[in-house]
Amino acid sequence: MTIRPELLKNIRRTEPYVPGEQPQNRVIKLNTNENPYPPAPGVREVVQSMDTDRFRLYPDPTAEPLVRALAECYGVGKDQVFVGVGSDDVLSMCFLTFFNSEKPILFPDITYSFYKVWAQLYRIPYECPALDEDFRIVREDYYRENGGIIFPNPNAPTAIYEELDFVEDILEHNRDSIVIVDEAYIDFAGKSAMELIDRYDNLIVVQTFSKARSMAGMRIGYAVSSPELIRLLNDVKYSFNSYTMNQTAILCGVEAVKDTEYFHESVRKIVETRETAKEELKKLGFTFPDARANFIFATHPEKDAGEMFRALKENDIYVRHWDGGRIGDYLRITIGTPEEMKALFDFLHEYIKR
């Protein structure tokens, strides 16, 4: 049955975000920036010891144990922490809460593509200043009048990290706008903008458990900001759903935060493998921006990225590729285990010879 045009005219429609493939068969999966190592041991213990009788009860709407653990971890007040179902949920709430001006919000033209989806979904005007020829954000493009600013640091899919003086410069030039720094990959990069929270009342820092904490499947994200902005964010959250975080996620999240030794060791292994992967890619003739995330954004001057992507996939090695535009010649390669990366490079050595 075809829906009549009269019904469609008042239905909200938008172009959705396209996630990376999640193949169900056993493959070398280097396409969605997941952590190749398991979560902290305490997470497994929580899952194995869960009292399933508690599942009949609603979870704590404030997620207080997790909020408290994060506040202690980062040395902030509990009233400065907001948690949600993955950083996507947190960012979506931020768009809805803070971007309500008639002026356009600003974010890079090459960045996390969900920003554009949320802007369209919530009818938020936006503009996308272009990255320069080296895929770097041009800070001067963010000095103009705007309704808010958001950018990832490190950026995705480029893996480029900007130092804190860069972030602070944008904050200084936008004191009357909310500035959201999306730090999904910060643990692999450098200093976090959380260091600036107490100095800038317009700053919101968003992070996730999906990357460095190996919990993409659990869906936990959080924001750190001033108590006033966090209160406003919670007001919007409670207007939608008071019980967003399930009991298992809350308890597992606490254990993941507590085990700092495991966390740092996991990050160290990924960074070490990343640096080795850079050298291997250079030997094969690839070029790429300096990768400061858990992935590398690489291109080869003699090989078509789309064809290489398909050849890899046919051999059960999944990486990420976007057709067309300035990034059509690039592949985004997640850092896996040393064994997974060796399989990737073994294939590429043969492929590049053809």
Side-chain angles (χ1 to χ4, degrees):
M1 178 184 296
T2 302
I3 298 178
R4 289 173 290 117
E6 291 81 4
L7 291 177
L8 289 174
K9 66 181 180 181
N10 292 318
I11 295 175
R12 186 176 299 245
R13 286 178 283 180
T14 188
E15 185 175 337
Y17 171 74
V18 180
E21 292 179 82
Q22 294 287 351
Q24 300 304 307
N25 54 317
R26 292 185 65 84
V27 300
I28 295 175
K29 192 171 182 299
L30 308 175
N31 66 326
T32 49
N33 298 342
E34 294 141 327
N35 194 312
Y37 302 108
V43 174
R44 177 186 292 271
E45 293 172 10
V46 166
V47 173
Q48 292 176 337
S49 64
M50 281 295 296
D51 178 6
T52 56
D53 285 348
R54 290 189 57 81
F55 290 174
R56 65 187 177 81
L57 304 175
Y58 285 112
D60 178 358
T62 69
E64 196 276 339
L66 180 56
V67 168
R68 182 176 68 249
L70 287 166
E72 291 173 355
C73 177
Y74 294 111
V76 298
K78 291 193 297 182
D79 57 356
Q80 291 182 265
V81 179
F82 174 90
V83 297
V85 185
S87 60
D88 287 341
D89 178 49
V90 175
L91 290 166
S92 177
M93 286 291 174
C94 286
F95 269 63
L96 197 57
T97 305
F98 301 115
F99 294 160
N100 291 288
S101 169
E102 294 180 356
K103 302 170 188 175
I105 64 169
L106 305 177
F107 52 86
D109 65 330
I110 298 172
T111 193
Y112 187 31
S113 55
F114 230 140
Y115 300 160
K116 189 175 291 187
V117 173
W118 289 317
Q120 293 171 347
L121 181 64
Y122 297 137
R123 304 293 192 262
I124 300 168
Y126 66 91
E127 294 178 4
C128 299
L131 301 181
D132 68 15
E133 61 183 11
D134 297 318
F135 294 122
R136 302 196 83 98
I137 295 172
V138 181
R139 67 178 78 190
E140 290 80 7
D141 288 342
Y142 295 81
Y143 293 174
R144 65 176 109 162
E145 196 172 18
N146 62 76
I149 292 171
I150 181 169
F151 61 93
N153 194 33
N155 195 10
T158 65
I160 293 175
Y161 169 74
E162 300 293 354
E163 301 291 344
L164 279 191
D165 60 347
F166 178 96
V167 177
E168 189 163 11
D169 182 71
I170 290 181
L171 287 163
E172 281 286 359
H173 282 86
N174 293 278
R175 295 309 299 259
D176 295 329
S177 297
I178 296 294
V179 177
I180 301 172
V181 184
D182 181 358
E183 293 188 337
Y185 304 100
I186 194 64
D187 300 304
F188 309 104
K191 291 184 177 181
S192 165
M194 282 194 201
E195 294 187 18
L196 306 174
I197 287 291
D198 292 337
R199 290 159 54 190
Y200 293 93
D201 62 356
N202 58 328
L203 171 63
I204 300 171
V205 178
V206 176
Q207 294 190 9
T208 180
F209 281 51
S210 296
K211 312 303 179 185
R213 297 192 189 276
S214 305
M215 295 178 70
M218 193 60 73
R219 312 306 301 128
I220 305 173
Y222 55 100
V224 177
S225 187
S226 68
E228 179 65 12
L229 294 185
I230 294 300
R231 183 185 65 78
L232 295 170
L233 200 50
N234 272 310
D235 286 347
V236 172
K237 168 191 169 181
Y238 293 140
S239 298
F240 275 85
N241 182 359
S242 298
Y243 304 105
T244 54
M245 296 289 297
N246 68 67
Q247 291 179 0
T248 307
I250 292 171
L251 296 177
C252 287
V254 170
E255 291 303 316
V257 173
K258 283 166 54 179
D259 197 338
T260 56
E261 183 177 349
Y262 184 90
F263 167 74
H264 289 301
E265 176 61 14
S266 179
V267 170
R268 184 199 64 77
K269 289 191 292 186
I270 290 169
V271 170
E272 186 176 279
T273 305
R274 180 190 71 196
E275 296 307 303
T276 300
K278 288 181 186 179
E279 296 305 314
E280 291 298 320
L281 286 170
K282 288 176 184 176
K283 291 175 186 176
L284 289 167
F286 286 87
T287 60
F288 44 87
D290 183 29
R292 298 285 292 276
N294 67 335
F295 58 89
I296 300 171
F297 188 59
T299 185
H300 197 284
E302 299 174 1
K303 297 295 180 179
D304 180 84
E307 293 179 4
M308 198 172 350
F309 165 76
R310 289 185 286 274
L312 284 161
K313 186 175 177 179
E314 288 171 2
N315 285 269
D316 291 332
I317 302 173
Y318 281 61
V319 298
R320 194 78 192 267
H321 176 252
W322 291 267
D323 288 322
R326 291 173 63 192
I327 62 174
D329 290 332
Y330 284 78
L331 298 177
R332 192 192 68 188
I333 304 167
T334 301
I335 302 303
T337 63
E339 294 76 19
E340 289 172 329
M341 301 308 289
K342 182 180 184 304
L344 168 71
F345 292 124
D346 285 348
F347 174 84
L348 289 176
H349 273 287
E350 296 302 317
Y351 184 84
I352 298 299
K353 291 178 185 177
R354 299 176 190 173

